Amino acid sequence: MLLLRSKYLLTDPYNVINNGAVLIDNGKITFAGPSDDIDRQESHQIIDFGNSAIVPGFVNTHTHLELTHLHKSINYNGDFTDWVRQIINAKKNWAEDEYKTSIREGITRSLEAGTTTVADITRNGLALDELKKSRIRKVLFYELIDFNTYSAESTIGNFKEEINRVKHDSLLSIGIFPHAPYTVSKELYKRCIQVSEELGIHIATHISETKDEVEFLKKGTGNFVSLLNDYDMLNNWKYPGLRPIEYLSNIGVLRNSWILIHCNYISEEEIDYIKKSNSSIVFCPRSYKYFWHNKHPFLKFLNLKINVALGTDSLASNDSLSVLDEMKYIYEKHKDVRPQDILYMGTIAGAVALRLKDKIGRLESGFDADITVIKFPEEGINNVFDGIFSHDSECMFTVVSGSVCYDKYKLALFGH
Ligand SMILES: [Zn+2]
C-alpha cells in the first residue's frame, strides 16, 4: 500500500484539504482526506511531497502522439491548408519506426506532465502497440478519411477489421474518429455514428476549426478546394450550404454524445444543436493561439453548461503535450475564469467526455488511482491555485491505476 502526503490535496477542483493524504491499494484509492485521519501503519510505503499539491491526474482529451517528432518542423503562415500540406509532406517518408519512436516520446512527455489519460488519434494503427505497452490510460481513436460517397462501406469494413485485433485491457478503450467534414463524406459520417452506437464506442471529429472550413461547407469555395483537388479527393462532393455543426445536425448524425474537437467558429444556433446532442467540446488553447485565432467561445459554452474538456493537439501546432501548460495558459490569459473551473476542464471534463467519470477525475475512495503531484515554487504563492498554475510549478510524480509512471526525484524508492 502506498500512502502519498502533501501540503495540499485536491480530491476534486472544489475540495481543497490542507495536509492531505491519499492511500492507494491494488490500483484503487482507498482513502483520500486529511492526513491526521489515517492511521500510520507499517504496511504503508509513505511518500511525503511537502510544498506541493496532490491532484487528480490530467486528461488530455485530444492529441496526435504520432506527430510528436514534427515539433518545430512545421511553419504556419496563416493558411491552414498549407500547414496540412506541410504535415503530409513531412510524414511522407517516415518508416514505421519513426512513427513508433514519435508515439513513445509523446507518451513519455505526457506522463512527465502529469497526464494520466490520453485520447489519442491514430491514422495507421501503429499507436496501438506502443500505447498498449505503456501504463498510461488511453482512448485510442481510429481516424477515418474518405470523401468518396461510394466507398464508405469498405472504409468502415477496414476499421472493423482493424479494431478486431485489439485486445482490450482495463486501461484501453477504442473510439472512431471521422477526421473532419472536409475529408469525410456524408455517408461515412452516417456509418460512423451507427458503428459507434452498435459497438458502444466513443465518437469524435475535428469540427469548425477554421474560417476556411466554414466557407468550404457554406459556399464550396476557398483554400480547401485546391487542397482537395491536389489530392484528387473532391470527386462528386456537393457542398451542403450549411455551417459545420448545422451540417452534422442536418444529416442526422449529431446525437449521442460526440466529442467535438475545436468548435472555434460556432453560431448561436449551432450551440443549441451541440447542447441537445449532449456532446462535449474539446478546447485546445495553445493550438488555437498557434493558428492565430482569437477569442474562443469556451466561456459561452461553460455558461450554458456544455462540457468543455482540454486537449493539447499535436506538437505540430503546440510547444508541449502538457495539459498543465494549457491550464496555466488559461489561468494567465483569462482572469475571468475561476481556477477551479480551469482544473475541472483539465480533469473531470475530460473524464466525462471519455465516459470515464465514475472511474477517474476525482480522488475518492473506490476510484482508480490516477494521480499527479504538482510541486510549488518556493516563493510568491498566494493560494493553492497560484501554486498549481504558477509559471514555475512542475509535475513531480504521476500514478496511473496505482502504478508509479513518473517520479522526477526518485521518491518511490521501493518501486510499486
Ligand atoms: Zn487534432
Side-chain angles (χ1 to χ4, degrees):
M1 289 202 276
L2 182 62
L3 181 66
L4 309 180
R5 293 196 307 208
S6 100
K7 189 168 177 187
Y8 299 102
L9 161 68
L10 283 81
T11 59
D12 67 55
Y14 307 97
N15 185 31
V16 179
I17 294 168
N18 292 332
N19 298 316
V22 177
L23 185 63
I24 302 166
D25 187 12
N26 205 16
K28 300 264 186 204
I29 294 166
T30 54
F31 171 88
S35 197
D36 288 346
D37 289 1
I38 189 159
D39 289 338
R40 199 187 166 118
Q41 291 177 14
E42 279 185 11
S43 57
H44 300 164
Q45 182 196 345
I46 300 171
I47 305 176
D48 201 321
F49 295 101
N51 189 25
S52 57
I54 300 173
V55 297
F58 305 134
V59 180
N60 189 352
T61 317
H62 182 65
T63 188
H64 305 250
L65 297 177
E66 63 195 26
L67 301 185
T68 301
H69 276 185
L70 291 183
H71 191 207
K72 294 197 188 300
S73 62
I74 309 287
N75 296 308
Y76 181 63
N77 60 13
D79 176 357
F80 182 80
T81 58
D82 176 73
W83 179 87
V84 173
R85 283 176 216 267
Q86 287 185 56
I87 301 260
I88 294 169
N89 287 334
K91 290 197 305 179
K92 210 154 51 189
N93 299 317
W94 278 18
E96 246 183 48
D97 263 3
E98 180 95 41
Y99 277 101
K100 287 183 173 177
T101 49
S102 195
I103 293 158
R104 276 202 295 274
E105 194 185 320
I107 295 168
T108 305
R109 287 182 185 225
S110 301
L111 289 167
E112 287 174 357
T115 297
T116 50
T117 299
V118 286
D120 185 39
I121 315 302
T122 184
R123 277 296 301 282
N124 47 30
L126 291 172
L128 174 65
D129 295 337
E130 298 312 312
L131 277 166
K132 256 197 101 86
K133 276 185 248 167
S134 159
R135 288 175 298 172
I136 200 164
R137 192 181 300 275
K138 49 266 178 180
V139 177
L140 187 58
F141 281 96
Y142 284 80
E143 185 172 78
L144 307 187
I145 289 185
D146 187 356
F147 216 30
N148 192 331
T149 315
Y150 305 109
S151 49
E153 206 48 53
S154 68
T155 300
I156 285 289
N158 293 342
F159 165 75
K160 283 186 167 172
E161 224 168 82
E162 188 74 31
I163 62 163
N164 269 340
R165 77 182 183 102
V166 176
K167 287 199 181 66
H168 288 268
D169 64 51
S170 61
L171 293 178
L172 170 73
S173 46
I174 295 294
I176 190 165
F177 196 94
H179 171 258
Y182 52 87
T183 54
V184 172
S185 69
K186 180 168 76 177
E187 287 69 22
L188 185 54
Y189 263 120
K190 287 181 177 172
R191 289 295 287 126
C192 284
I193 184 70
Q194 284 166 359
V195 167
S196 130
E197 288 167 345
E198 172 192 318
L199 303 178
I201 58 175
H202 310 272
I203 184 160
T205 189
H206 294 120
I207 191 97
S208 242
E209 181 172 10
T210 60
K211 288 179 185 161
D212 283 333
E213 177 186 331
V214 178
E215 179 188 342
F216 179 64
L217 289 175
K218 280 223 43 131
K219 301 181 188 157
T221 53
N223 290 332
F224 276 110
V225 174
S226 52
L227 177 76
L228 294 171
N229 268 329
D230 283 357
Y231 293 96
D232 250 344
M233 285 172 68
L234 213 44
N235 300 323
N236 45 13
W237 194 73
K238 303 253 183 316
Y239 71 92
L242 297 166
R243 298 176 59 87
I245 291 287
E246 280 177 341
Y247 169 57
L248 292 192
S249 177
N250 184 268
I251 62 174
V253 302
L254 192 62
R255 58 177 197 253
N256 212 354
S257 311
W258 280 69
I259 301 173
L260 302 169
I261 317 298
H262 301 308
C263 290
N264 296 343
Y265 297 97
I266 298 289
S267 70
E268 296 295 328
E269 220 177 12
E270 288 178 300
I271 295 179
D272 225 32
Y273 292 138
I274 293 170
K275 191 149 172 64
K276 281 191 186 124
S277 68
N278 196 33
S279 295
S280 293
I281 289 169
V282 180
F283 174 31
C284 303
R286 288 176 307 149
S287 176
Y288 186 79
K289 176 179 154 245
Y290 175 92
F291 288 118
W292 306 359
H293 303 298
N294 54 32
K295 203 123 184 57
H296 190 280
F298 75 99
L299 273 177
K300 205 186 259 184
F301 300 147
L302 287 178
N303 288 337
L304 291 166
K305 303 264 180 284
I306 293 173
N307 188 49
V308 181
L310 296 179
T312 60
D313 221 333
S314 79
L315 283 196
S317 62
N318 204 343
D319 270 333
S320 79
L321 293 173
S322 166
V323 175
L324 179 61
D325 287 347
E326 301 298 340
M327 292 189 286
K328 287 181 179 184
Y329 178 76
I330 300 176
Y331 187 67
E332 194 193 313
K333 297 280 174 209
H334 296 273
K335 295 295 175 203
D336 47 344
V337 187
R338 292 193 307 163
Q340 293 90 330
D341 295 340
I342 299 173
L343 186 59
Y344 183 96
M345 285 194 278
T347 54
I348 297 174
V352 169
L354 299 170
R355 304 176 196 170
L356 291 167
K357 73 176 173 48
D358 298 326
K359 239 182 167 181
I360 60 160
R362 298 171 188 276
L363 305 184
E364 285 174 16
S365 187
F367 272 60
D368 282 17
D370 284 17
I371 299 167
T372 188
V373 182
I374 306 302
K375 184 173 185 282
F376 291 179
E378 292 307 319
E379 288 159 20
I381 300 306
N382 299 318
N383 61 60
V384 63
F385 289 102
D386 237 20
I388 294 171
F389 297 139
S390 148
H391 187 264
D392 297 321
S393 71
E394 60 168 7
C395 168
M396 65 191 293
F397 200 78
T398 305
V399 177
V400 181
S401 191
S403 293
V404 178
C405 294
Y406 175 63
D407 182 4
K408 183 163 188 183
Y409 298 102
K410 307 282 173 262
L411 300 171
L413 284 177
F414 308 106
H416 185 67

